Every structure is written in C-alpha cells, then in structure tokens.
Amino acid sequence: MAQHRQQFGSLALGDQVGIRIPSKIQTRIRRPARPDKPRRLSPVVVFVITLSLCLLLTFLAFHRLSENKENEIDLEGNGVFRRNSTVFSKELKFGHGSGLVGRDSRYWDRDDRRRDQDYEENDVLAHPTEQKDHGHDQEPKKEGKERHAGGGLYNEGGRAELETYKEEYENSLKMKNSKEDEYDDDGIDAQDEVEEQEESKEEDESKKDVILSMKAKVSSVVARNASSDSSKDEKSSSSGKSTGSKRKPKHHKFSGSSCQMKFLNSTAQLVEPVENKKFSRFLLQYVDVEERPSGTMNWEPKFAGHQNLQEREESFYARDQKINCGFVKGPEGSPSTGFDLAEDDVRYMKSCHIAVSSCIFGNSDHLRTPYSKLITRQSRKNVCFVIFMDERTLQTLSSEGQKMDNMGYISLWKIIVVRNLPYTDMRRVGKVPKFLAHRLFPSARYSIWLDSKLRLQRDPSLILEYFLWRKGYEYAISNHYDRHCVWEEVLQNKKLNKFNHTIIDQQFEFYQSDGLKRFDLSDPNKLLPSYVPEGSFIVRAHTPMSNLFSCLWFNEVERFTPRDQLSFAYTYLKLRKKNPKKTFHLNMFKDCERRSITKLYRHRAERRNISIQTMR
C-alpha cells in the first residue's frame, strides 16, 4: 500500500499523466443540481385569490365613485356648488317646468320623512355648531332628551307659563266633550282605526319576514360550516339564534306633541278681527289671457303663462301690478290650459269666507276626514271643507265604499272634481290648490291647507286665532323637523332621488348666483328661523302680501322643480330684499305644533312599496 501511494504521488507531481475517470462519475460531477419543481396551486386557491382581487377592485372603484358624489357640493366653500363649475349666469338654459318631460315625480320620491312619533325636534336643534363642524351631509347627532333649557331657534321663555294652562285646558276639554252633542262621522273614525290596525299589521308582518329571512340565511351558513368545523358550528349557531331573536322595538302610538300650546277653550266668544292696518296694501291683479306672440310657430298656451326672466324679476315688487299666477288661458279658440272645474263648484267656492282645503291626485292617498268631534257647529256652518281630486281617485274611493251624497259631500269634505289636469306630474298638479287658494276661493279671507296624508284634529277657527290673529300674522308655516339649510335639502333630494339631479343643480346654482347664502343659526339678524319649511300645513290670510308670496312661490315651483322646500327661502328672502319698507308678517312656527293639530298617515304608494319589498 505504501509503495502504491508513492507511485501515485510521483505521478501527480511529475509528468502529467491522463487519469481516466469513469463516465458515471464524470456525469455526476458535470451535471448541475436541478432546482426543486414548483408546487402547483390547487384550483380552489386560484379561484379564491382571483375572487378576492375582483372584490378589492370593485370596492376601490365604488369608494372612488362615492367620494366623487359626496364632493359634488363643496360644503366648505361659499356660493360654490361644484368643484369645477364655472360662474353660473342668470340666463336659464332650460325651459319652464311643464311636467311634460319625464316621469311623475312621485316615482322619483322616496319620502324620507319618519313617522311623527319617531323623532324629537329638540334633539336636532340643540347643537347647531356640530353640523357646521362635521358638514351638512352628515346626520345630526342626537344626545338625548335631557337638555335644551333656553337655547335653540325659538324663544322658550314662555314654556313655564304655558305649562300652567295644561291641566286647566284638559279639564275644560273633557267638560266640553261631555256636553257637546255627538256628531255622525259616517264611519270615518272607525275606518281610520281599521287602517291603523292594517298598517301596524303590515309593519309587523314585514318585520317578521325580515327576521325569518335573516334566520334562514344564518341557518344555511351554520349548516354549511357544520361539516368543516364542529366547534365553529356551535359558535355560529348561537350567534344565529341571538341575531334572529333581536327584534326592533315597536314604536308606540304617538300620544301628543312635545309643544305646549294654549288654544282657546271655545269658539263661542271668538270674534274675527278687523282688517289689520299694519299689513301692506296694494292692488294685485292677475294675467288671465295670453296672446300669441307674433312670428312664433310652435307656441302653445300654458296654465302658468309664459313669464320671462324680466317679468319674473319685476313681479317681486309689492306694488300695484298684474302678474302671472296660474289659470292663464290662451287666445280665443285655443284649447284649455287645464284645471277645469264645474260651474256649480266654482259658485260654491266663491261663497266661502274661510276655506280648509286639500287634494288627492293620481290616487295617491286615502280620504282623511277632519276629526269631527273637535269641529264645532259654528265652524261646520262657516267653514268650507273642500278637497280637490281627479276622476280616477273618485272612482277608487267609490269602489272602497266612500261615495258622495246628493250634495257632493263625503262626510265633511265637499268633493271638487278637477278635469283636464294641467300637468302630467301629479305632484306639480297638487301645487295649484296648495299655493293658489286665493285664486280658487276669491271671496275667502282665510284658508288652511292640509296635505292629503294629514288629518286635521283641531277646530279651524281656533287654528286661525292661534297662528294668525293672536300676534297679527298673515302667513304661517312650520319649519322642517330635521333640516334647516337649503344646502342640506339639496343633498337630501339628490340622495333620495326625489327629482332629476340636473334640474336640481340648475335651480340651486341659479339661486346662488342671485345671492342665496347658507342658513346661519348664530346670526342674530336672521330673517327666518329656518330656510326649509315642513310645507304640509299652511295657514294664511288672503292679504295682498300673502297672495303675492303665494304667486311667487308657485311660479318658482312651476319654473323649476315641484320640490317646494328648495324655493321657499329664496322666494321669501328675495321678496323682503325687493321691499325693505314693506314687511311680510310670516309666522314660521315649530313643527311640533303642526304635529299637535294634525295626524300623519302613510301614502298609498308607501303602503304598496312595503308589500312589494316584503315579497322580495
């Protein structure tokens, strides 16, 4: 072995001698090491990763779009509606709101109003500065009911005094009801009770269906996960039971208003006041007939006339003038512009001194008769209770058992059938009797308007005394329960798709270009306690200033959108600006007072939507 090692060493150090390495060993040395083969992903993992990426991209795109919509209105700017908008000129680039284009606005409308018992107005008014800090597009924060001593929009100093009259008033009301004769309500009260029960049943059934569907979904998820993990199955089933067992608390029936109101105990000693000398006096006339302009080919007469912007500007002056205010006819031989009434009905309305009016068009509501036990005999004789409706609505009421008697009445309501409606939009048609009561009742001195979803629960004479006569007002309307700035109202209308967004934008930009500013609650010199009204209940004296305001407001609704809450503040402020020496005595009262004298019901359409959503 030693000799063999010595030879091998000498060969390595001496002459180079080729050493033959076996081929197998040579192959092993030269071949590089192969990398490990990548493991193939299972199809399930690939599907999950792909689905996650798709969901992430969808979420980012949706978030980006929502940011663009929220930033459509610059809430921190002054007078700027859109970020990239140019200065809006006062020249309108669209036509009058004829209602002939697009669908009925009731199809746009998803009424965001909560039931009267679902909100507390003082919660909204308590901390107005929070709305400024957090932006108008957020819901106001509620902090409970144990606050609000003396702040807010209104003077609360008289609450303690009004509290002392509560017991006295309730006792007198009980005595009055015991002595007063029982009136025949023609089954209306019983019908309302039945409808209330039906509504509550529908709400309960819809809630039950939602709970059952939630339970079904939870149980399916639990069953799906049971095969994979028994421990998780127990947790998910327990959570499913708790989810299904949690029911939303039922809303209690609204028992009254949060406002203390001191109505008179009786109408026996009530005397209508003489004409108030502080009200502005001027002669207001109306355009009845329009002639065809020369050189026009496609001209057609319109119910509201063809008021240009210059005529619109001049109409805001409280002076002797002739303005457009609906009921405009075309030249002789032209077709009717709409809102046709029977001659007997016209004569009846001319005889009214005090009118309580409402309307139902497009079969949108049930007939709500005023609460007869609180309507005195004196008011039954002196007040006209008139409700306007189309033939379709009358047929529906007749099929439901509410038929007119020989004199054209259903209970207290005098039924006035309107033929040839001036607009295809039923909401816009409803603005005619709402704003133009002084045109429909030319001899009336006072009128009270009720939306068809409200039921009157006070005597009309006591309402006039409380809202107008007591402090010398000529127009009374409540503020909105939740929103007080037009900026907020615009956002809400667009959020709920209450009308065409483009037209809302154009109207809002036009108002800003004409000087409309944000509502400032802290301004001690503000002319209104709120810029947004709750316009379902209006009390007015038919004075020249009140009639002018009603005409101006109607013209804004006719020109732009039928959402009258958008144009109220602008119309009022412009009227005050154009007439600094003539005061319009407007009483914008708290909405809880409106709730105290009226009861809110659902629209027919809302009830149908409930059943449709339940089926889905």
Side-chain angles (χ1 to χ4, degrees), residues 20-241:
R20 185 176 181 180
I21 301 174
S23 60
K24 292 184 179 180
I25 299 175
Q26 186 177 6
T27 305
R28 290 175 185 173
I29 295 173
R30 292 178 181 178
R31 185 178 298 171
R34 292 184 179 180
D36 295 334
K37 295 183 179 181
R39 296 181 180 178
R40 293 184 180 180
L41 297 177
S42 64
V44 176
V45 176
V46 174
F47 176 76
V48 171
I49 294 174
T50 306
L51 182 60
S52 301
L53 290 175
C54 292
L55 291 176
L56 179 61
L57 292 175
T58 305
F59 173 79
L60 292 175
F62 177 79
H63 183 66
R64 181 67 177 175
L65 290 174
S66 62
E67 280 186 345
N68 291 338
K69 288 185 178 180
E70 290 177 357
N71 294 331
E72 189 175 72
I73 295 179
D74 185 7
L75 295 176
E76 299 299 328
N78 293 319
V80 178
F81 182 74
R82 288 178 293 198
R83 285 184 172 181
N84 299 324
S85 63
T86 57
V87 178
F88 185 78
S89 64
K90 295 177 69 173
E91 178 185 357
L92 293 180
K93 298 181 180 179
F94 53 96
H96 289 70
S98 63
L100 298 176
V101 181
R103 306 175 72 183
D104 185 342
S105 68
R106 290 185 296 116
Y107 290 99
W108 292 91
D109 185 16
R110 286 169 22 206
D111 194 354
D112 64 318
R113 172 151 59 197
R114 295 159 284 180
R115 298 300 288 267
D116 280 346
Q117 63 268 34
D118 293 347
Y119 68 90
E120 189 67 34
E121 184 182 18
N122 289 337
D123 293 338
V124 180
L125 302 178
H127 297 288
T129 55
E130 292 184 2
Q131 295 184 7
K132 286 188 176 183
D133 296 338
H134 296 85
H136 293 279
D137 56 339
Q138 298 181 359
E139 292 292 330
K141 295 183 179 180
K142 298 185 178 181
E143 299 183 3
K145 299 181 181 179
E146 66 265 14
R147 51 167 170 66
H148 190 70
L153 293 178
Y154 301 89
N155 179 15
E156 305 292 342
R159 281 189 180 273
E161 178 185 357
L162 292 172
E163 190 72 29
T164 60
Y165 295 102
K166 181 178 179 181
E167 184 176 355
E168 178 185 351
Y169 169 73
E170 291 179 350
N171 293 334
S172 63
L173 185 61
K174 291 179 182 178
M175 294 178 61
K176 174 186 171 185
N177 289 336
S178 63
K179 293 180 180 179
E180 208 170 40
D181 295 334
E182 292 292 332
Y183 296 120
D184 182 15
D185 290 341
D186 296 333
I188 298 297
D189 295 337
Q191 178 188 350
D192 285 341
E193 292 178 1
V194 171
E195 290 176 0
E196 289 178 4
Q197 293 175 0
E198 291 178 355
E199 287 181 1
S200 61
K201 286 181 181 178
E202 287 180 356
E203 292 176 357
D204 293 339
E205 289 176 359
S206 63
K207 291 177 181 178
K208 288 180 181 178
D209 291 339
V210 172
I211 293 173
L212 290 175
S213 63
M214 291 175 63
K215 285 184 176 180
K217 290 179 180 179
V218 171
S219 61
S220 64
V221 173
V222 170
R224 208 177 302 149
N225 296 335
S227 59
S228 61
D229 193 352
S230 59
S231 61
K232 292 181 179 179
D233 180 31
E234 294 178 0
K235 294 181 180 180
S236 61
S237 61
S238 62
S239 63
K241 290 181 181 179

Side-chain angles (χ1 to χ4, degrees), residues 47 100 174 209 225 244-245 332 339 348 412 495 516 533 579:
F47 176 76
L100 298 176
K174 291 179 182 178
D209 291 339
N225 296 335
S245 61
E332 187 175 355
F339 216 86
Y348 172 79
L412 286 179
K495 177 182 177 182
L516 180 64
N579 306 277

